[in-house]
Amino acid sequence: MAKSSSQTGSRGGARRWGRAQLDNRKDPYRPSKKMSQPTVCPDCGAVFHRGRWQWSAAPEGAIRTRCEACRRIHDGFPAGIVTITGEFTPAQAAEIEALVRHEEKAEMAEHPLNRIMAIERPNNLTMIITTTDLHLPRRIARGLKKAYGGRFDEHFEKDGDTVRIAWQTK
Ligand SMILES: [Zn+2]
């Protein structure tokens, strides 16, 4: 059976990842079956109800299933990677980190599954931010550009499951 993988049609339910060119990708973190019942994530408390993940009290009888974001965190498998390079003083690095956290907070309020997994400083010139989703990296990059100028390059991996953004001050 040579079933084409294109045009799988509307899934209803969970939020689309939002980029047309990614529609045919196989995302291992997509819910494997359509979730029709209220679900609560035992790790973060996000609730899947009426077709989307949200921050609310779990409806009575909600089933307990780990959300995609917590599964990625558990597996250590980010969807987004933002690499920041530049010469920063410790104070500037702290300021950048605060900005990044601020963007995460704003994004996460609306989209509970869009989160930072880790912020790492492998050396004085580099900061690496990993995220559970494909949208937060761009939001972070835009925030950085707005605050500090510089430029960023965005690159989607072939599989479409990963986005890498590099931002530099000049
Ligand atoms: Zn969760």
Side-chain angles (χ1 to χ4, degrees):
M1 289 226 301
K3 187 169 175 279
S4 166
S5 63
S6 65
Q7 301 301 324
T8 49
S10 169
R11 296 171 57 85
R15 178 191 183 205
R16 302 296 297 240
W17 293 86
R19 290 180 67 98
Q21 69 267 42
L22 300 182
D23 277 359
N24 293 333
R25 71 210 178 86
K26 282 189 285 179
D27 182 350
Y29 291 92
R30 243 180 204 171
S32 56
K33 51 189 173 230
K34 196 168 169 182
M35 292 194 298
S36 53
Q37 327 178 36
T39 301
V40 60
C41 174
D43 290 8
C44 68
V47 170
F48 187 85
H49 192 39
R50 297 201 170 109
R52 65 184 196 94
W53 286 97
Q54 50 196 286
W55 298 116
S56 62
E60 209 168 309
I63 58 169
R64 293 166 67 81
T65 301
R66 198 180 256 164
C67 73
E68 295 96 277
C70 288
R71 281 165 57 206
R72 281 188 182 275
I73 291 165
H74 179 260
D75 297 348
F77 191 79
I81 300 156
V82 182
T83 305
I84 296 172
T85 46
E87 287 184 45
F88 310 118
T89 64
Q92 286 169 327
E95 196 182 288
I96 287 171
E97 195 168 325
L99 182 149
V100 166
R101 287 291 179 193
H102 174 81
E103 295 295 345
E104 179 200 27
K105 202 176 163 193
E107 174 76 12
M108 210 172 138
E110 263 188 77
H111 304 293
L113 303 197
N114 299 2
R115 303 176 201 164
I116 289 172
M117 289 173 65
I119 300 180
E120 286 163 26
R121 299 288 313 276
N123 58 58
N124 283 340
L125 299 174
T126 313
M127 188 184 290
I128 297 173
I129 300 149
T130 46
T131 71
T132 55
D133 74 292
L134 298 170
H135 299 270
L136 185 54
R138 190 182 293 172
R139 183 178 190 131
I140 288 170
R142 283 189 179 143
L144 289 166
K145 193 168 156 61
K146 197 173 162 198
Y148 303 105
R151 62 187 173 82
F152 65 87
D153 300 308
E154 186 179 57
H155 174 73
F156 280 85
E157 299 287 303
K158 264 199 185 125
D159 61 10
D161 291 338
T162 314
V163 61
R164 292 173 187 274
I165 291 187
W167 178 77
Q168 45 202 164
T169 45
K170 48 194 150 198

